[in-house]
Amino acid sequence: MVLPNLFFNLGDMMATIIPYTLYQHCQDPSPITQKVRVGRLKEDGEATTKLVGEHDSRVHKMAIEPGSPYIFYSCGEDGLVQHFDLRSDSATKLFTCYSFLNDRRRVRLNSIAIDPQNPYYFSIGGSDEYVRLYDMRRFHLDDSRNINQPVDTFCPKHLIKGGKVHITGIAYSYAREILVSYNDELVYLFQNNMGLGPNPVAVQQEFFDTLDQPQAYSGHRNYRTVKGVSFFGPNDEYVVSGSDCGNVFIWRKKGGELMRMMNGDKSVVNCIEPHPHFPFMATSGIDKTVKLWTPAAKKLMSLPKNAKEIIASNERGREVDASRAEVTLSSDVIMHVLRLHRRQSELHRENEPAAGDFASDDDEAFYIGFGNAERDQGENSDPRECIVT
């Protein structure tokens, strides 16, 4: 029996189906540790679980090695990256990530992604501005001197050594591009030749001047929670992200044009997971529903009438918070504040406009051409075009 890829979020628990197998791995939250368990799903629906690893803090993301029914990675807010092989009895603790500026300060990791074209490479991101790219073969050599040193790093020029932003999500395209979402900043697309080298703080200004700027995607807001980011389309033609305004934003990858905004949550959209083979997409946020988006609309849909107001509100919020003194809160405190805010909004909805007031006011459908993204939209449409709602 073969199970498809499936991603879902149940409260603070995240689970992922491992392809080609009957195994499932999930995070089991507790006040002190974050446990990684593997469950075996039988044909009659019965499931058994086994503890395979632990972190000392929350785990926001895991990554499955492409094409493998056994191997996956986890990273956590404790800065630890672990490698799991279900054919062995225990996880391998690869390394703990530390800051380039202070080798005693751990980087709290939010995301990990594996290169689909070369599974030896994986990237991580967390509580500083740098994406770190590692080569798994270096760990096989067991060279402890360079165990925490990446083979390359990525960061937009204006954020280098800034220390005011952090990374919430990373994704790879099949063309090996790296997509990165920054907290209260933008989403950026890096090509392989945009790397800063193993130690970005040691790079000279002359080198920065030769680097190309990554493609940026704007209009959303990523401030209140840890948000993922993803590609969409059979050839990764589009970029998708959630937003604090409760909308799902979809941009054309080439050029960064905003193609569609869809209301995906009463408060905030956090998780974006496209199906690996079909034009389906799952999203979730603060409310208790997971929404599935699938082709349905029969006409080209424009942006909602209030799109400019939504985008302007997101930008104003970013500017206001950037002017305030920096305050660091734990994820537990942030989630508690969000729950209180949601309850207050429900009680005073008649008198106080909630985030839902900024939702898209058109029918929830958007047009995406899965053929040539640059062609004219005429009567002779490509049969691979689809409408997603």
Side-chain angles (χ1 to χ4, degrees), residues 11-81:
D12 289 332
M13 177 180 288
M14 187 272 277
T16 305
I17 297 292
I18 300 180
Y20 318 119
T21 73
L22 293 175
Y23 288 104
Q24 176 188 47
H25 63 89
C26 64
Q27 285 120 244
D28 179 18
S30 67
I32 300 176
T33 63
Q34 192 78 22
K35 300 176 182 178
V36 180
R37 293 183 176 273
V38 174
R40 183 173 180 85
L41 307 179
K42 299 180 180 179
E43 293 187 12
D44 60 3
E46 182 183 355
T48 59
T49 65
K50 176 184 177 181
L51 179 66
V52 295
E54 295 186 22
H55 284 262
D56 291 332
S57 191
R58 290 178 182 270
V59 178
H60 294 287
K61 192 70 174 181
M62 292 181 288
I64 298 171
E65 183 175 294
S68 172
Y70 305 110
I71 298 174
F72 63 94
Y73 297 76
S74 70
C75 67
E77 290 184 358
D78 55 0
L80 177 63
V81 176

Side-chain angles (χ1 to χ4, degrees), residues 70-353:
Y70 305 110
I71 298 174
F72 63 94
Y73 297 76
S74 70
C75 67
E77 290 184 358
D78 55 0
L80 177 63
V81 176
Q82 297 192 76
H83 174 271
F84 297 84
D85 188 330
L86 297 179
R87 294 165 294 189
S88 64
D89 295 330
S90 61
T92 301
K93 296 182 178 180
L94 297 181
F95 64 93
T96 298
C97 185
Y98 288 91
S99 168
F100 290 112
L101 298 174
N102 184 347
D103 58 9
R104 295 185 178 181
R105 187 177 69 203
R106 295 187 183 188
V107 175
R108 300 184 301 276
L109 298 176
N110 295 323
S111 188
I112 183 169
I114 301 175
D115 185 337
Q117 299 297 332
N118 188 344
Y120 285 117
Y121 291 110
F122 65 91
S123 293
I124 58 174
S127 59
D128 67 8
E129 60 267 41
Y130 303 108
V131 175
R132 294 161 168 83
L133 172 64
Y134 291 87
D135 186 342
M136 184 63 188
R137 290 168 293 191
R138 289 195 173 189
F139 300 101
H140 291 160
L141 296 175
D142 193 25
D143 185 359
S144 59
R145 293 171 300 175
N146 296 317
I147 199 165
N148 189 35
Q149 185 178 42
V151 296
D152 209 349
T153 56
F154 299 85
C155 181
K157 294 180 185 180
H158 67 286
L159 298 181
I160 294 173
K161 300 181 183 180
K164 295 183 178 180
V165 298
H166 63 266
I167 294 168
T168 65
I170 300 176
Y172 270 97
S173 73
Y174 286 102
R176 304 186 68 187
E177 301 156 312
I178 302 177
L179 188 66
V180 186
S181 182
Y182 282 89
N183 174 265
D184 222 21
E185 241 275 341
L186 307 182
V187 173
Y188 295 95
L189 180 69
F190 295 94
Q191 307 296 331
N192 284 330
N193 62 353
M194 295 180 179
L196 303 172
N199 186 358
V201 300
V203 177
Q204 301 298 316
Q205 183 62 44
E206 292 77 10
F207 179 76
F208 292 147
D209 296 337
T210 65
L211 288 176
D212 294 329
Q213 280 285 73
Q215 174 66 58
Y217 307 90
S218 62
H220 71 305
R221 193 172 184 213
N222 176 10
Y223 178 70
R224 296 168 61 186
T225 55
V226 177
K227 293 179 182 63
V229 68
S230 187
F231 293 96
F232 190 62
N235 297 307
D236 298 328
E237 300 96 326
Y238 302 93
V239 169
V240 189
S241 174
S243 176
D244 289 352
C245 60
N247 285 287
V248 178
F249 281 68
I250 300 182
W251 301 270
R252 193 188 301 278
K253 184 180 76 172
K254 184 177 180 180
E257 178 187 1
L258 180 60
M259 302 296 295
R260 191 67 179 117
M261 294 166 57
M262 309 178 298
N263 181 226
D265 192 271
K266 295 178 181 178
S267 183
V268 178
V269 177
N270 296 324
C271 301
I272 303 283
E273 290 291 352
H275 192 283
H277 307 298
F278 300 103
F280 305 147
M281 180 170 60
T283 65
S284 66
I286 302 300
D287 64 27
K288 298 180 180 180
T289 61
V290 175
K291 296 175 178 63
L292 302 178
W293 307 84
T294 187
K298 297 180 180 179
K299 63 178 181 178
L300 175 65
M301 300 298 296
S302 60
L303 294 175
K305 295 177 181 179
N306 58 342
K308 291 183 179 180
E309 289 80 4
I310 296 173
I311 294 171
S313 176
N314 290 337
E315 180 61 29
R316 284 196 302 270
R318 183 181 297 114
E319 292 174 353
V320 168
D321 286 314
S323 65
R324 294 175 180 171
E326 183 177 349
V327 178
T328 302
L329 299 177
S330 69
S331 55
D332 288 326
V333 173
I334 292 174
M335 292 304 297
H336 181 65
V337 171
L338 287 175
R339 292 188 186 102
L340 291 177
H341 175 73
R342 181 185 173 192
R343 292 172 188 168
Q344 185 180 23
S345 297
E346 291 173 350
L347 291 172
H348 303 283
R349 188 166 296 171
E350 294 84 2
N351 299 321
E352 285 189 26

